[in-house]
Amino acid sequence: MNIKTLNTILYCKKWKETVAFYRDVLKLDVHFSNDWFVEFILNSQARLSIAHQERTSIKSSDGRGITVCLQVDDAHIMHAHLTVLETNPTPIRNLWQSSVFYIRDPEGNRIEFWS
């Protein structure tokens, strides 16, 4: 198997709010967009997509059982930035020899930042 890219799709009830969060708060660049699906670029091989559950056969998990893990250059700088943006990050913890914290998107999906 030769995997070229990864795209994780989050199915959302709060589609507009969730799209705005990833676009305007986390400042992810849009790779593709239509009236019910937005694909964001994480890096050259990874994407994160937000799909409106009303237009799909898969429904929202309401944030249960989902964690999007994002390794960043410096978790402390990211934590300070997200604190200013009032995203309510958890305190930074040392886990697995890494600095780790979490926020939730409008749909309730947990996002882990670590470095």
Side-chain angles (χ1 to χ4, degrees):
M1 176 170 34
N2 182 24
I3 298 170
K4 295 181 180 182
T5 62
L6 167 72
N7 184 17
T8 300
I9 303 171
L10 302 175
Y11 298 89
C12 297
K13 294 176 189 174
K14 298 177 182 176
W15 184 77
K16 287 182 181 179
E17 298 93 331
T18 305
V19 167
F21 175 82
Y22 286 96
R23 182 190 61 225
D24 303 334
V25 176
L26 296 187
K27 302 291 187 196
L28 297 181
D29 292 327
V30 175
H31 183 256
F32 171 82
S33 176
N34 65 21
D35 63 337
W36 65 274
F37 186 90
V38 177
E39 181 180 82
F40 293 100
I41 299 169
L42 298 177
N43 64 31
S44 62
Q45 276 85 38
R47 311 280 189 264
L48 178 69
S49 295
I50 311 301
H52 196 313
Q53 77 159 12
E54 289 181 9
R55 301 281 301 274
T56 69
S57 60
I58 299 173
K59 302 307 173 202
S60 170
S61 67
D62 295 314
R64 292 187 307 263
I66 305 258
T67 300
V68 175
C69 301
L70 303 173
Q71 182 183 18
V72 296
D73 288 331
D74 189 317
H76 294 272
I77 290 172
M78 181 61 74
H79 188 276
H81 174 71
L82 292 172
T83 298
V84 169
L85 295 175
E86 298 180 355
T87 61
N88 301 314
T90 64
I92 296 174
R93 299 184 338 189
N94 186 14
L95 299 172
W96 311 291
Q97 299 178 342
S98 300
S99 297
V100 179
F101 72 92
Y102 304 92
I103 63 172
R104 295 218 177 244
D105 70 18
E107 190 70 16
N109 298 303
R110 186 172 80 162
I111 306 167
E112 175 185 274
F113 293 91
W114 67 279
S115 65

